[in-house]
Amino acid sequence: MASSERSALLTYRLCGGSGEDERGRERGRAAAAATPRKLPTFLGVVVPTLLSMFSVVLFLRLGFVVGHAGLYQALAMFAVAYFIIGMTVLSVCAIATNGALDAGGAYYMISRALGPEFGGSIGIMFFLANVCGSALYVLGLVEAVVDSFGIPPGQKVGSGIHVLPQSYWYELLYGTILLALCLVVCLVGASIYAKATFLIFLIVAGVLGTILVSFFATRPLGVPIRMPHLNSSETENGSFTGFSLATLRENLGGGYGVDYTTGQMMSFSTVFAVMFNGCTGIMAGSNMSGDLKRPSYSIPRGTISAVLFTYLVYNLLAFLMCATCNRTLLQKDYGFLRDISIFPPLVTVGIYAATLSAAMSNLIGASRILYALARDDLFGRALALAKKTSASGNPIMAVILSWLVVQLVLFSGKLNTIAGVVTTFFLLVYATVNLACLALEWASAPNFRPTFRYFTWHTCLLGIAGCCVMMFLISPVSASASLGFLLILLLALHYLSPSSTWGYISQALIFHQVRKYLLMLDVRKDHVKFWRPQMLLMVQNPRGSARLIDFVNDLKKSGLYVLGHVELQDLDSLPSDPLQPQQDSWLSLVDKLNVKAFISLTLAPSVRHGVRQLLFTSGLGGMRPNTLVLGFYDDAAPQDSLAQHPAFTSTREELPLGFPPLRAAAAPKLLSPREYVGIVADALKMLRNVLLVRHLESLDKVWELRRAASPPPSIHVWPVNLLRPDSARYADTCSLFLLQMACVLNMARAWRRARLRLFLCVEAGAMPHAQEDKLRQLLKDLRIQAQIQLVPWDGVVRLHWQAPRGPPGGPAPAEEEEVAVNFPPNTTQVSDEYVCAANKMVLEQGPAPAVRFLYLPRPPADTGLYPLYLRQLELLTRDLGPTVLVHGVSAVTSTQL
């Protein structure tokens, strides 16, 4: 039909998917979508990124870094830090240019690339990183305010501008007030935030220019330093020497001392943890992705420009500080830039503006991540409140919740105290961004076509390694705790979160690796030592085959398992493929029954043709079915075992599977006896082993295998062709295959309590003990543990040698020549009486087993004898309970190492 071919174009996004769930979420985004995106590259990416990186570290901690680490180690720290963030920026740019971005920044990119488990867990980690980052900048601002206006230590009353009391609770109060100011700006929305940050950017740019000029214009001077642990009358003196070679030489090497704000001894890792916070603003632009005009265009260009500029400025300022300031000034006066400035008030304003902007940037970034998490429903009702937005689309509840968490973090009290935690969180997020890009690159998906091409899997791998190494060098405890928390979130989301339509990178990676390994799986290198059953189970209607599906799952022994189904229709007379709508029902069935099986459906004019197709085409490469499993063909009415299966009765769900009702007992079958036996013959011609399973509906595996009664359940094995007593061998290929299948079932976890009982049919005068010893030695060589039981069958064999007789009311003498249908011409025939006697002999061997394995003879060469062959199988297995008829055509046992 022409209309069916005109499908809508797929709008490619990182969050590809459709359907009712996606439409429902789109309706939930209506308020946000109503507001047009309006931020350009400079205002939306460059300015927030620069202000996030030019904040506390630039104005309050760069001297601390250089003073403790020295110029060489400081430059090394910058190189390591910018190497890590440089690799991360390349990954961010690649993902950002591979489709349309939405709100959520790094969370959005990771969740749509790696799937909901990784996305949700990393989203929470990134939210916490931004929250802690916002608290860090607020504490830095409090430190600067107290340094400028606080009452000096040792004095109870201030003078002049030094009027603010200093104590833990007072500083917490100052931080709360400043955070409330950030909250007000963020509640107004992204537009006012962008305007505010642009104004702050102009101030910071002016301050930065003033600082650079001051290094050249300020004359040498001494700077008195009031230490918090000393009285106000006692001070230390730092020196601004101007450009001096002696000062530079003094500051080249490291000189780690005690941090005067925390009293802790500094080291390379602790100083790096503080310094790295000046590099964590690279995601500030991506966090605004929902408010950018063209996020895929703006994020790469804006982020790279900002990162390069900050790297140059940091290195330049580090050199200028080392060449002009002595180590005492650098280590013990974090606000020395104000003291040496040609216009100190402007530096003070710049410090306040930059740290306030960075705090707002992290707060608004955290709120956008929280809103994106809530909108995706990964945590259910836990984040439902964060979905609420204002009329303009601003996620006000997410902003308020983020503000509350930042307020809690402020109780830590000191900037350097939480610097290590913030750095660990950001390093973990950056490592995951690199992992997302690496996974997309390794998956080689055709739709991964980023317009930004300046990255490879090597850069991603280097970024991951750098982040992980530095994370553990900075704080092994924080790194381990963060990874543990991430793992808990991963597991919780894996088991509790609803399925998504974003696509799972794990599926792409699995496909890539499976294809590669399938090509390496060479059938020419197969060896009997490593043989395993690979099953094709034919199922007409799963409603009547639930226990059979479960039983064959135990028989597969880590091999291939395919559920095959033949639909009797002609594609030429249909408008579309009728099998596609059925796929979901079959896959849901596999999930509910918890079996490790593939699905293979086909259309055919007859069941026999369909089975042939599946035998020829199922599997791939070296993974193809080697064993065909069929339910037995008899007149028993089908029973709906699916409705009584524990997978469905243990839940409140109704059967959602779209399978038709079972065939009524009086309704005609889709398969004739002749066609059924023809399927068996076809499989043997194609060198496939065959299993026919009967009476499995009477097998209650749960009760049978878990009962505490003694003796334990048993598996009866009859490795002799009962329909051919004149050639009763137990060591031919078919008998050994039968033994192997019984052993495989016994190795399954659910069947390990069962015991194998092997029945050896013996005649008087045939040296039974010698036969038993040979069989016992064979079992020992095959490493099969089984109890051997001798069964005299002289009375049964005697019926075989007598003239064939039909059952009472059976065929006329002229027809009796055709009774022994399973033997070639000119050989001794068996009668129905003999088959019934063999059935009785098997039935009398008690106690009743959980399942019996019997030898399946080959079908006769004459197709006209197929119905009678099937009748003899029915007589042989009548009333035996769960029975498996087995015919093997391939060698499957080995006595070698």
Side-chain angles (χ1 to χ4, degrees):
M1 296 173 63
S3 61
S4 64
E5 297 175 3
R6 291 196 292 269
S7 56
L9 290 174
L10 172 66
T11 303
Y12 178 66
R13 299 178 67 88
L14 283 171
C15 58
S18 59
E20 291 299 323
D21 292 340
E22 192 65 26
R23 286 194 290 271
R25 288 175 183 168
E26 288 298 331
R27 287 192 296 269
R29 300 171 187 169
T35 303
R37 299 179 175 189
K38 47 189 172 296
L39 296 182
T41 302
F42 186 73
L43 286 179
V45 180
V46 176
V47 170
T49 304
L50 285 176
L51 289 178
S52 293
M53 302 178 80
F54 282 164
S55 54
V56 172
V57 172
L58 177 66
F59 295 111
L60 296 178
R61 288 298 185 270
L62 192 55
F64 161 85
V65 171
V66 174
H68 285 282
L71 181 61
Y72 290 153
Q73 292 188 37
L75 294 179
M77 287 182 184
F78 291 134
V80 171
Y82 274 84
F83 172 79
I84 292 173
I85 68 169
M87 299 300 101
T88 305
V89 166
L90 297 181
S91 298
V92 169
C93 294
I95 298 175
T97 58
N98 188 51
L101 278 174
D102 208 338
Y107 158 70
Y108 188 87
M109 290 186 283
I110 294 172
S111 62
R112 270 51 177 184
L114 296 184
E117 295 97 339
F118 260 102
S121 53
I122 289 299
I124 290 294
M125 302 300 288
F126 198 30
F127 167 75
L128 293 176
N130 277 274
V131 161
C132 293
S134 181
L136 180 141
Y137 294 130
V138 170
L139 291 173
L141 182 54
V142 169
E143 183 180 298
V145 170
V146 170
D147 189 46
S148 299
F149 303 104
I151 298 174
Q155 297 182 11
K156 294 185 178 180
V157 180
S159 59
I161 61 172
H162 301 286
V163 295
L164 296 179
Q166 294 190 53
S167 71
Y168 170 80
W169 292 108
Y170 273 112
E171 291 178 4
L172 178 62
L173 175 63
Y174 305 150
T176 302
I177 295 172
L178 293 171
L179 182 60
L181 178 61
C182 297
L183 173 65
V184 171
V185 175
C186 293
L187 283 176
V188 175
S191 178
I192 188 65
Y193 164 75
K195 294 175 183 177
T197 53
F198 181 65
L199 178 62
I200 294 172
F201 173 74
L202 294 179
I203 297 173
V204 171
V207 172
L208 187 58
T210 302
I211 291 173
L212 292 174
V213 172
S214 298
F215 281 110
F216 296 91
T218 303
R219 295 181 179 181
L221 55 88
V223 181
I225 306 170
R226 290 189 299 268
M227 305 303 296
H229 61 279
L230 299 176
N231 293 325
S232 60
S233 60
E234 300 181 23
T235 61
E236 291 190 26
N237 291 315
S239 297
F240 176 79
T241 64
F243 285 96
S244 168
L245 187 60
T247 304
L248 179 63
R249 287 174 177 171
E250 179 188 349
N251 291 326
L252 288 178
Y256 295 100
V258 176
D259 173 28
Y260 73 84
T261 63
T262 62
Q264 296 179 350
M265 185 67 186
M266 294 293 100
S267 64
F268 181 92
S269 60
T270 54
V271 172
F272 181 86
V274 175
M275 184 279 304
F276 192 80
N277 285 283
C279 309
T280 56
I282 61 171
M283 292 293 195
S286 350
N287 291 342
M288 301 295 295
S289 57
D291 302 294
L292 298 173
K293 284 183 180 178
R294 293 188 295 167
S296 295
Y297 173 87
S298 299
I299 290 175
R301 288 163 176 78
T303 306
I304 291 176
S305 302
V307 167
L308 290 176
F309 183 71
T310 55
Y311 179 67
L312 294 175
V313 170
Y314 277 136
N315 281 274
L316 176 60
L317 287 178
F319 174 77
L320 293 176
M321 290 176 182
C322 285
T324 58
C325 304
N326 72 348
R327 195 176 293 272
T328 301
L329 180 64
L330 294 174
Q331 286 187 349
K332 299 185 178 181
D333 186 4
Y334 294 163
F336 77 96
L337 289 177
R338 179 179 57 251
D339 299 325
I340 68 172
S341 173
I342 57 176
F343 188 51
L346 182 60
V347 176
T348 301
V349 172
I351 292 174
Y352 296 168
T355 49
L356 187 65
S357 171
M360 285 191 295
S361 175
N362 278 265
L363 179 59
I364 201 169
S367 67
R368 294 307 189 265
I369 295 167
L370 187 63
Y371 172 63
L373 283 165
R375 195 178 59 186
D376 287 335
D377 285 326
L378 295 183
F379 294 89
R381 297 180 180 177
L383 298 180
L385 190 62
K387 293 181 183 179
K388 297 185 181 298
T389 62
S390 65
S392 62
N394 187 33
I396 53 174
M397 291 309 301
V399 173
I400 293 173
L401 291 174
S402 302
W403 165 74
L404 287 173
V405 181
V406 176
Q407 183 64 55
L408 292 176
V409 180
L410 288 181
F411 282 92
S412 62
K414 291 296 180 181
L415 184 153
N416 288 5
T417 304
I418 62 172
V421 176
V422 176
T423 300
T424 300
F425 279 151
F426 275 108
L427 282 171
L428 187 59
V429 172
Y430 294 164
T432 315
V433 171
N434 285 298
L435 176 64
C437 189
L438 177 68
L440 289 169
E441 178 70 9
W442 275 356
S444 301
N447 280 326
F448 184 59
R449 298 189 297 271
T451 55
F452 181 86
R453 295 302 304 166
Y454 300 101
F455 78 99
T456 67
W457 66 268
H458 304 85
T459 61
C460 302
L461 208 56
L462 287 172
I464 295 172
C467 290
C468 293
V469 169
M470 292 312 303
M471 208 164 44
F472 281 94
L473 283 179
I474 290 170
S475 176
V477 175
S478 297
S480 302
S482 300
L483 288 173
F485 183 53
L486 176 64
L487 183 61
I488 292 173
L489 286 173
L490 274 171
L491 294 175
L493 286 171
H494 178 74
Y495 290 106
L496 301 178
S497 68
S499 60
S500 73
T501 57
W502 307 338
Y504 295 78
I505 188 63
S506 58
Q507 296 297 305
L509 290 171
I510 290 170
F511 177 89
H512 183 71
Q513 292 302 110
V514 167
R515 180 194 63 84
K516 183 164 66 176
Y517 287 123
L518 274 176
L519 291 172
M520 297 169 61
L521 190 60
D522 192 345
V523 294
R524 295 169 295 184
K525 297 179 181 178
D526 283 347
H527 194 279
V528 67
K529 288 187 297 185
F530 308 112
W531 179 91
R532 67 182 71 237
Q534 306 199 73
M535 305 293 198
L536 171 61
L537 170 62
M538 298 306 305
V539 179
Q540 181 196 352
N541 190 334
R543 291 186 180 275
S545 308
R547 288 185 176 172
L548 177 58
I549 293 171
D550 189 56
F551 178 77
V552 178
N553 187 61
D554 291 335
L555 268 178
K556 71 180 188 308
K557 186 56 180 173
S558 302
L560 178 67
Y561 183 17
V562 180
L563 296 181
H565 173 71
V566 179
E567 193 78 15
L568 298 181
Q569 296 191 57
D570 185 3
L571 191 60
D572 290 339
S573 60
L574 298 172
S576 62
D577 182 7
L579 299 178
Q580 291 300 323
Q582 299 183 28
Q583 285 282 351
D584 287 344
S585 296
W586 284 88
L587 293 174
S588 299
L589 173 75
V590 168
D591 292 338
K592 292 292 292 182
L593 295 181
N594 195 27
V595 295
K596 299 176 181 178
F598 298 95
I599 302 300
S600 188
L601 312 180
T602 188
L603 286 176
S606 69
V607 176
R608 185 175 182 181
H609 281 85
V611 176
R612 283 179 185 171
Q613 291 176 20
L614 294 177
L615 285 172
F616 277 124
T617 61
S618 293
L620 195 63
M623 293 189 68
R624 292 184 178 277
N626 56 27
T627 304
L628 174 67
V629 185
L630 302 172
F632 196 79
Y633 190 98
D634 55 22
D635 294 326
Q639 300 177 12
D640 192 345
S641 57
L642 198 61
Q644 285 78 40
H645 195 277
F648 294 96
T649 57
S650 60
T651 64
R652 298 180 182 178
E653 302 178 21
E654 296 182 0
L655 290 180
L657 309 176
F659 299 116
L662 287 172
R663 173 183 60 85
K669 298 181 180 180
L670 299 178
L671 191 65
S672 68
R674 188 184 302 273
E675 190 177 8
Y676 177 83
V677 180
I679 292 172
V680 176
D682 292 342
L684 296 178
K685 290 177 184 178
M686 299 166 69
L687 299 182
R688 303 297 203 276
N689 310 298
V690 176
L691 273 60
L692 306 183
V693 186
R694 190 179 189 191
H695 296 312
L696 207 62
E697 65 278 357
S698 63
L699 172 63
D700 189 348
K701 188 178 73 172
V702 175
W703 177 85
E704 188 72 38
L705 300 177
R706 293 183 182 177
R707 62 179 181 179
S710 182
S714 59
I715 300 173
H716 286 191
V717 183
W718 296 79
V720 175
N721 186 351
L722 294 175
L723 297 185
R724 189 69 183 272
D726 56 332
S727 60
R729 295 182 298 169
Y730 53 82
D732 62 2
T733 300
C734 185
S735 297
L736 293 177
F737 180 82
L738 188 150
L739 274 173
Q740 180 82 324
M741 295 309 299
C743 180
V744 165
L745 181 66
N746 193 212
M747 293 169 70
R749 179 176 299 178
W751 292 83
R752 285 177 184 168
R753 285 192 65 250
R755 297 291 179 262
L756 288 180
R757 294 183 65 193
L758 190 62
F759 293 92
L760 178 60
C761 298
V762 295
E763 298 181 57
M767 301 178 65
H769 294 292
Q771 295 183 31
E772 181 182 2
D773 292 341
K774 289 182 180 179
L775 184 56
R776 196 176 302 281
Q777 182 61 41
L778 175 64
L779 294 177
K780 182 179 179 181
D781 293 340
L782 296 176
R783 290 90 60 204
I784 296 176
Q785 295 183 357
Q787 173 190 353
I788 299 177
Q789 182 170 335
L790 301 181
V791 180
W793 69 331
D794 298 81
V796 178
V797 173
R798 192 177 303 114
L799 295 175
H800 167 66
W801 297 113
Q802 294 175 359
R805 296 172 299 174
E815 297 174 322
E816 290 181 2
E817 297 298 323
E818 296 181 349
V819 173
V821 298
N822 54 316
F823 303 120
N826 302 321
T827 59
T828 308
Q829 302 170 356
V830 293
S831 63
D832 286 356
E833 186 180 4
Y834 164 78
V835 177
C836 292
N839 168 264
K840 183 179 179 182
M841 176 186 68
V842 173
L843 194 59
E844 288 175 349
Q845 307 306 315
V851 66
R852 289 181 173 90
F853 282 82
L854 271 62
Y855 191 114
L856 173 66
R858 271 185 172 274
D862 186 357
T863 59
L865 300 179
Y866 281 179
L868 298 181
Y869 165 80
L870 185 59
R871 183 164 68 91
Q872 287 192 342
L873 295 182
E874 194 279 329
L875 290 174
L876 181 63
T877 58
R878 181 177 292 177
D879 300 325
L880 289 186
T883 304
V884 183
L885 291 162
V886 181
H887 191 98
V889 296
S890 53
V892 296
T893 56
S894 172
T895 58
Q896 301 176 355
L897 288 177

PDB file of all heavy atoms in Angstrom, residues 42 69 92 147 155 389 466 528 596 611 647 787 812 814 826 874 877:
ATOM      1  N   PHE A  42      28.593  33.488  22.623  1.00  0.00           N
ATOM      2  CA  PHE A  42      29.422  34.252  23.557  1.00  0.00           C
ATOM      3  C   PHE A  42      28.756  34.367  24.918  1.00  0.00           C
ATOM      4  O   PHE A  42      29.364  34.078  25.956  1.00  0.00           O
ATOM      5  CB  PHE A  42      29.710  35.637  22.971  1.00  0.00           C
ATOM      6  CG  PHE A  42      30.676  36.443  23.787  1.00  0.00           C
ATOM      7  CD1 PHE A  42      32.022  36.128  23.810  1.00  0.00           C
ATOM      8  CD2 PHE A  42      30.229  37.497  24.568  1.00  0.00           C
ATOM      9  CE1 PHE A  42      32.918  36.859  24.584  1.00  0.00           C
ATOM     10  CE2 PHE A  42      31.111  38.233  25.347  1.00  0.00           C
ATOM     11  CZ  PHE A  42      32.460  37.915  25.349  1.00  0.00           C
ATOM     12  N   ALA A  69      53.602  25.217  45.592  1.00  0.00           N
ATOM     13  CA  ALA A  69      54.135  24.273  44.602  1.00  0.00           C
ATOM     14  C   ALA A  69      55.360  24.795  43.879  1.00  0.00           C
ATOM     15  O   ALA A  69      56.156  24.002  43.360  1.00  0.00           O
ATOM     16  CB  ALA A  69      53.042  23.940  43.587  1.00  0.00           C
ATOM     17  N   VAL A  92      33.296  16.167  24.799  1.00  0.00           N
ATOM     18  CA  VAL A  92      32.061  16.945  24.890  1.00  0.00           C
ATOM     19  C   VAL A  92      31.685  17.512  23.530  1.00  0.00           C
ATOM     20  O   VAL A  92      30.517  17.466  23.108  1.00  0.00           O
ATOM     21  CB  VAL A  92      32.223  18.079  25.923  1.00  0.00           C
ATOM     22  CG1 VAL A  92      31.051  19.052  25.844  1.00  0.00           C
ATOM     23  CG2 VAL A  92      32.323  17.509  27.323  1.00  0.00           C
ATOM     24  N   ASP A 147      37.757  38.958  54.773  1.00  0.00           N
ATOM     25  CA  ASP A 147      39.122  39.482  54.697  1.00  0.00           C
ATOM     26  C   ASP A 147      39.119  40.998  54.517  1.00  0.00           C
ATOM     27  O   ASP A 147      40.005  41.699  55.015  1.00  0.00           O
ATOM     28  CB  ASP A 147      39.856  38.804  53.542  1.00  0.00           C
ATOM     29  CG  ASP A 147      41.345  39.134  53.545  1.00  0.00           C
ATOM     30  OD1 ASP A 147      41.959  39.062  54.620  1.00  0.00           O
ATOM     31  OD2 ASP A 147      41.871  39.466  52.464  1.00  0.00           O
ATOM     32  N   GLN A 155      40.440  41.220  68.229  1.00  0.00           N
ATOM     33  CA  GLN A 155      39.699  42.425  68.582  1.00  0.00           C
ATOM     34  C   GLN A 155      38.218  42.096  68.702  1.00  0.00           C
ATOM     35  O   GLN A 155      37.684  41.318  67.931  1.00  0.00           O
ATOM     36  CB  GLN A 155      39.898  43.519  67.521  1.00  0.00           C
ATOM     37  CG  GLN A 155      41.335  43.995  67.378  1.00  0.00           C
ATOM     38  CD  GLN A 155      41.440  45.111  66.347  1.00  0.00           C
ATOM     39  OE1 GLN A 155      40.443  45.659  65.898  1.00  0.00           O
ATOM     40  NE2 GLN A 155      42.688  45.457  66.006  1.00  0.00           N
ATOM     41  N   THR A 389       7.623  24.085  36.760  1.00  0.00           N
ATOM     42  CA  THR A 389       8.272  25.229  36.126  1.00  0.00           C
ATOM     43  C   THR A 389       7.385  26.454  36.250  1.00  0.00           C
ATOM     44  O   THR A 389       6.187  26.367  36.534  1.00  0.00           O
ATOM     45  CB  THR A 389       8.550  24.955  34.644  1.00  0.00           C
ATOM     46  OG1 THR A 389       7.297  24.734  33.962  1.00  0.00           O
ATOM     47  CG2 THR A 389       9.431  23.723  34.463  1.00  0.00           C
ATOM     48  N   GLY A 466      43.569   9.738  32.859  1.00  0.00           N
ATOM     49  CA  GLY A 466      44.005  10.910  33.615  1.00  0.00           C
ATOM     50  C   GLY A 466      43.053  11.236  34.759  1.00  0.00           C
ATOM     51  O   GLY A 466      43.489  11.517  35.887  1.00  0.00           O
ATOM     52  N   VAL A 528      34.950 -32.380  19.111  1.00  0.00           N
ATOM     53  CA  VAL A 528      33.940 -33.071  19.905  1.00  0.00           C
ATOM     54  C   VAL A 528      34.100 -32.772  21.399  1.00  0.00           C
ATOM     55  O   VAL A 528      33.121 -32.780  22.153  1.00  0.00           O
ATOM     56  CB  VAL A 528      34.004 -34.586  19.630  1.00  0.00           C
ATOM     57  CG1 VAL A 528      35.312 -35.181  20.144  1.00  0.00           C
ATOM     58  CG2 VAL A 528      32.813 -35.296  20.277  1.00  0.00           C
ATOM     59  N   LYS A 596      16.973 -18.232  28.185  1.00  0.00           N
ATOM     60  CA  LYS A 596      17.977 -17.583  27.344  1.00  0.00           C
ATOM     61  C   LYS A 596      17.829 -18.098  25.927  1.00  0.00           C
ATOM     62  O   LYS A 596      18.511 -19.038  25.505  1.00  0.00           O
ATOM     63  CB  LYS A 596      19.367 -17.852  27.894  1.00  0.00           C
ATOM     64  CG  LYS A 596      19.554 -17.304  29.306  1.00  0.00           C
ATOM     65  CD  LYS A 596      20.897 -17.654  29.889  1.00  0.00           C
ATOM     66  CE  LYS A 596      21.037 -17.107  31.300  1.00  0.00           C
ATOM     67  NZ  LYS A 596      22.335 -17.470  31.922  1.00  0.00           N
ATOM     68  N   VAL A 611       9.789 -25.506   8.836  1.00  0.00           N
ATOM     69  CA  VAL A 611      10.858 -26.081   9.654  1.00  0.00           C
ATOM     70  C   VAL A 611      12.135 -26.225   8.835  1.00  0.00           C
ATOM     71  O   VAL A 611      13.237 -25.973   9.331  1.00  0.00           O
ATOM     72  CB  VAL A 611      10.416 -27.434  10.245  1.00  0.00           C
ATOM     73  CG1 VAL A 611      11.561 -28.087  11.008  1.00  0.00           C
ATOM     74  CG2 VAL A 611       9.209 -27.255  11.163  1.00  0.00           C
ATOM     75  N   ALA A 647       5.863 -17.925  36.435  1.00  0.00           N
ATOM     76  CA  ALA A 647       6.260 -16.578  36.009  1.00  0.00           C
ATOM     77  C   ALA A 647       5.063 -15.646  35.897  1.00  0.00           C
ATOM     78  O   ALA A 647       5.214 -14.426  35.998  1.00  0.00           O
ATOM     79  CB  ALA A 647       6.990 -16.647  34.669  1.00  0.00           C
ATOM     80  N   GLN A 787      23.679 -45.033  37.979  1.00  0.00           N
ATOM     81  CA  GLN A 787      23.436 -46.365  38.529  1.00  0.00           C
ATOM     82  C   GLN A 787      22.966 -47.272  37.398  1.00  0.00           C
ATOM     83  O   GLN A 787      22.045 -46.938  36.652  1.00  0.00           O
ATOM     84  CB  GLN A 787      22.366 -46.280  39.621  1.00  0.00           C
ATOM     85  CG  GLN A 787      21.923 -47.643  40.147  1.00  0.00           C
ATOM     86  CD  GLN A 787      20.703 -47.522  41.037  1.00  0.00           C
ATOM     87  OE1 GLN A 787      20.270 -46.435  41.356  1.00  0.00           O
ATOM     88  NE2 GLN A 787      20.154 -48.669  41.418  1.00  0.00           N
ATOM     89  N   ALA A 812      -6.287 -56.835   9.003  1.00  0.00           N
ATOM     90  CA  ALA A 812      -6.434 -58.194   8.454  1.00  0.00           C
ATOM     91  C   ALA A 812      -5.071 -58.760   8.150  1.00  0.00           C
ATOM     92  O   ALA A 812      -4.097 -58.033   8.020  1.00  0.00           O
ATOM     93  CB  ALA A 812      -7.297 -58.136   7.187  1.00  0.00           C
ATOM     94  N   ALA A 814      -3.713 -59.754   5.547  1.00  0.00           N
ATOM     95  CA  ALA A 814      -3.069 -59.190   4.345  1.00  0.00           C
ATOM     96  C   ALA A 814      -2.375 -57.886   4.660  1.00  0.00           C
ATOM     97  O   ALA A 814      -1.451 -57.487   3.953  1.00  0.00           O
ATOM     98  CB  ALA A 814      -4.121 -58.974   3.254  1.00  0.00           C
ATOM     99  N   ASN A 826      12.895 -57.127   4.168  1.00  0.00           N
ATOM    100  CA  ASN A 826      13.638 -58.374   4.389  1.00  0.00           C
ATOM    101  C   ASN A 826      14.249 -58.458   5.785  1.00  0.00           C
ATOM    102  O   ASN A 826      15.213 -59.179   6.002  1.00  0.00           O
ATOM    103  CB  ASN A 826      14.740 -58.563   3.341  1.00  0.00           C
ATOM    104  CG  ASN A 826      14.173 -58.560   1.936  1.00  0.00           C
ATOM    105  OD1 ASN A 826      13.098 -59.117   1.684  1.00  0.00           O
ATOM    106  ND2 ASN A 826      14.880 -57.908   1.010  1.00  0.00           N
ATOM    107  N   GLU A 874       3.863 -43.962  19.581  1.00  0.00           N
ATOM    108  CA  GLU A 874       2.823 -43.624  20.547  1.00  0.00           C
ATOM    109  C   GLU A 874       2.586 -44.776  21.513  1.00  0.00           C
ATOM    110  O   GLU A 874       2.443 -44.573  22.723  1.00  0.00           O
ATOM    111  CB  GLU A 874       1.537 -43.257  19.789  1.00  0.00           C
ATOM    112  CG  GLU A 874       0.470 -42.562  20.646  1.00  0.00           C
ATOM    113  CD  GLU A 874      -0.348 -43.550  21.472  1.00  0.00           C
ATOM    114  OE1 GLU A 874      -0.538 -44.698  21.002  1.00  0.00           O
ATOM    115  OE2 GLU A 874      -0.767 -43.183  22.593  1.00  0.00           O
ATOM    116  N   THR A 877       5.506 -45.070  24.111  1.00  0.00           N
ATOM    117  CA  THR A 877       5.620 -44.037  25.146  1.00  0.00           C
ATOM    118  C   THR A 877       4.305 -43.804  25.900  1.00  0.00           C
ATOM    119  O   THR A 877       4.228 -42.889  26.715  1.00  0.00           O
ATOM    120  CB  THR A 877       6.068 -42.713  24.503  1.00  0.00           C
ATOM    121  OG1 THR A 877       5.119 -42.344  23.484  1.00  0.00           O
ATOM    122  CG2 THR A 877       7.439 -42.848  23.874  1.00  0.00           C
TER     123      THR A 877
END
